[in-house]
Amino acid sequence: MYVVRPVELADIAALEALATVSMPGVHTLPKTRDKIAASVERSIASFAAHVDIPSEESYLFVLESCADGSIAGTAAIFASAGSNGTYFSFRNDVIQQVSRDLNISHSVHALTLCSELTAYSQLSGFFVRNMDQVGLEAALLSRARLLFAVLAPHRFGDRFFVPLAGITDADGQSPFWDALGRKFFQMDFLDAERVIGGARNRTLIVELMPHYPVYVPLLPGDAQAAMGQIHPSGEPAFNLLTEEGFEADDYIDIFDGGPILQAHKNSLRSFSGSMTRKVVAGVLPSRAGLKVNYAIASGAEQRFRAVTFACDALEATDTVGLPRELLDALQVAAGDNVICVRI
């Protein structure tokens, strides 16, 4: 059994170990102990903050084994992307070219540097050790951060997005970057990422990146093929996110060309399908015999916990019966409220 909870200072060593096995590049864990510690401290401060308007808060969650206390994964959510600047991405556009003299009309795919995702809430840092061997716990980790947003809507925006790592080769180099970004930054992909620190809101981006539309047919074939494509390690996360309700196609990352998924919260299952239920101690007798898997989250912002539980469908009842081990994992008691959503 696993529980998703906010990160703690005691988790820093475990996160450092996870960082050594996570994929290179962006959208993953910080790589050094100092940066990991800073991320943990920032998260702790964000959970403790009294928030009226989403700003620079970031919330980091860990997937913990209830059996031995080991940390098997992480996921994060930023309250407002670009809160201390502007979040840049490429928007996929279609430019119409028309010549009446030649009786020619056609459409051209173009990329336009934009800041439209600024102030959206951003999901990031999703990583699970041995992803190919895990089951519902990966879905729980991905969804738990959204359930926290359901519990604390004042901490987040109405729209969410998720950048996923794009195609890179065995050496961590990106064909999309080599065709475009390298021309303006004059450095390798991984060197540029180290300089920018994975951020997409630095002033130097707007200083160096092209301000006019980039005509996609002018890019090399391998760069075009990489646009909107996911690094193989990101496919499980992509599947979880599209099942949640996120959609791709509108935006891609300005560095590696990876897809950026986005959605309004009302289109996400965690928001539209979540139910508040009162806790009953002990598993209730089965009414139908057909079990449904749910993600269940405790209803307190400062003591957020989430677990999975298989039980009868909860849509027709106002209670959920939980065994002692789940009551302990969620830190709830009989009579408390939890939120539940099918997983």
Side-chain angles (χ1 to χ4, degrees), residues 115-179:
S115 59
E116 293 165 5
L117 298 176
T118 300
Y120 282 32
S121 293
Q122 177 188 354
L123 307 188
S124 186
F126 179 79
F127 178 75
V128 179
R129 190 194 301 272
N130 302 323
M131 176 67 87
D132 57 340
Q133 301 175 16
V134 300
L136 288 177
E137 56 266 34
L140 172 67
L141 178 61
S142 180
R143 175 158 292 177
R145 50 195 169 170
L146 289 171
L147 291 179
F148 180 70
V150 172
L151 284 168
H154 57 286
R155 292 179 178 266
F156 302 96
D158 288 336
R159 301 194 70 91
F160 294 79
F161 76 93
V162 194
L164 295 178
I167 296 295
T168 52
D169 63 20
D171 297 321
Q173 298 303 314
S174 161
F176 182 79
W177 173 262
D178 287 343

Side-chain angles (χ1 to χ4, degrees), residues 5-15 33 36-42 44:
R5 59 166 175 80
V7 72
E8 300 171 354
L9 289 174
D11 299 321
I12 291 176
L15 294 180
R33 186 178 182 88
I36 290 171
S39 177
V40 170
E41 291 168 358
R42 182 181 174 191
I44 292 171

Side-chain angles (χ1 to χ4, degrees), residues 143 240-247 262-264 267-269:
R143 175 158 292 177
L240 290 171
L241 292 164
T242 52
E243 289 173 7
E244 175 70 42
F246 283 95
E247 296 180 347
Q262 55 88 28
H264 190 280
S267 299
L268 299 176
R269 289 175 56 198

Side-chain angles (χ1 to χ4, degrees), residues 93-338:
D93 286 332
V94 176
I95 297 177
Q96 301 293 332
Q97 305 279 41
V98 178
S99 172
R100 290 184 173 83
D101 291 339
L102 298 177
N103 194 29
I104 294 175
S105 175
H106 62 91
S107 301
V108 179
H109 183 188
L111 301 176
T112 305
L113 188 68
C114 74
S115 59
E116 293 165 5
L117 298 176
T118 300
Y120 282 32
S121 293
Q122 177 188 354
L123 307 188
S124 186
F126 179 79
F127 178 75
V128 179
R129 190 194 301 272
N130 302 323
M131 176 67 87
D132 57 340
Q133 301 175 16
V134 300
L136 288 177
E137 56 266 34
L140 172 67
L141 178 61
S142 180
R143 175 158 292 177
R145 50 195 169 170
L146 289 171
L147 291 179
F148 180 70
V150 172
L151 284 168
H154 57 286
R155 292 179 178 266
F156 302 96
D158 288 336
R159 301 194 70 91
F160 294 79
F161 76 93
V162 194
L164 295 178
I167 296 295
T168 52
D169 63 20
D171 297 321
Q173 298 303 314
S174 161
F176 182 79
W177 173 262
D178 287 343
L180 186 55
R182 178 192 287 272
K183 305 294 192 299
F184 299 92
F185 277 69
Q186 299 295 308
M187 61 182 72
D188 288 344
F189 173 65
L190 292 180
D191 290 335
E193 280 294 3
R194 280 190 284 269
V195 169
I196 204 87
R200 296 295 181 264
N201 61 350
R202 296 284 293 276
T203 301
L204 61 85
I205 290 178
V206 75
E207 290 173 343
L208 295 178
M209 277 296 192
H211 292 195
Y212 296 99
V214 175
Y215 284 68
V216 172
L218 298 179
L219 296 177
D222 59 346
Q224 294 185 45
M227 288 172 46
Q229 299 303 303
I230 309 162
H231 190 282
S233 65
E235 291 181 4
F238 176 83
N239 293 334
L240 290 171
L241 292 164
T242 52
E243 289 173 7
E244 175 70 42
F246 283 95
E247 296 180 347
D249 297 335
D250 289 339
Y251 305 95
I252 64 172
D253 185 73
I254 58 176
F255 274 29
D256 62 16
I260 298 177
L261 285 62
Q262 55 88 28
H264 190 280
K265 66 180 184 181
N266 293 340
S267 299
L268 299 176
R269 289 175 56 198
S270 292
F271 284 86
S272 62
S274 61
M275 305 168 287
T276 300
R277 295 293 182 264
K278 190 175 295 294
V279 171
V280 174
V283 179
L284 300 177
S286 177
R287 303 183 306 273
L290 181 63
K291 301 293 185 181
V292 178
N293 289 312
Y294 287 92
I296 299 181
S298 55
E301 289 181 37
Q302 306 302 326
R303 295 183 293 103
F304 178 83
R305 299 287 190 279
V307 298
T308 60
F309 182 53
C311 62
D312 285 351
L314 297 174
E315 282 75 5
T317 180
D318 58 2
T319 61
V320 56
L322 299 177
R324 170 52 55 188
E325 59 267 25
L326 289 190
L327 294 176
D328 293 341
L330 289 170
Q331 298 182 359
V332 298
D336 291 341
N337 286 330
V338 293

